[in-house]
Amino acid sequence: MKKGLSYVVFTLVLLSSPVLAQVIFIRGDANQDLRVDLSDSIFVNNYLFRGGEKPRCMDAADANDDGEVDLSDGIYLNNYLFLGSGKAPPPPYPEPGIDPTQDDLDCG
């Protein structure tokens, strides 16, 4: 719980700054439960293919950081988590942070 609380406090401080009004997230944490696991891949696939809830932070759902939320994000996470055949998600991962890449996705 300590990690989750510091994440919330850090986010509030950062968001309250007029200069640094960027959202803090963990790449791959599509369901925003502060963990990257199988449930994130399922969440993305439910959104894409079953009319499920839209991720609140599309940047977090973009696990491979290619600027799109699509089937490849779920596959990317599963390869990393279970097959050992993929790279870890790009920053901000595994700790919360701001997105270092420019794209049309946002958190909001």
Side-chain angles (χ1 to χ4, degrees):
M1 188 61 159
K2 181 180 175 186
K3 183 177 180 180
L5 181 58
S6 64
Y7 171 72
V8 170
V9 170
F10 184 63
T11 301
L12 291 175
V13 169
L14 190 60
L15 289 176
S16 65
S17 168
V19 176
L20 298 173
Q22 295 187 34
V23 177
I24 304 298
F25 67 95
I26 301 171
R27 183 149 336 264
D29 183 19
N31 63 9
Q32 299 210 296
D33 65 356
L34 301 178
R35 294 185 307 260
V36 176
D37 55 23
L38 178 60
S39 66
D40 297 298
S41 177
I42 292 170
F43 189 87
V44 168
N45 287 330
N46 275 336
Y47 163 67
L48 292 171
F49 304 111
R50 299 193 51 144
E53 179 183 349
K54 179 180 179 179
R56 287 177 288 172
C57 180
M58 295 298 280
D59 259 329
D62 182 18
N64 60 10
D65 197 22
D66 67 355
E68 298 179 27
V69 177
D70 55 24
L71 178 62
S72 66
D73 296 301
I75 293 170
Y76 187 95
L77 281 179
N78 289 340
N79 283 343
Y80 172 67
L81 292 169
F82 303 111
L83 299 179
S85 61
K87 293 189 274 185
Y93 177 87
E95 297 299 321
I98 59 173
D99 191 357
T101 57
Q102 295 292 324
D103 56 39
D104 292 331
L105 300 177
D106 63 0
C107 296

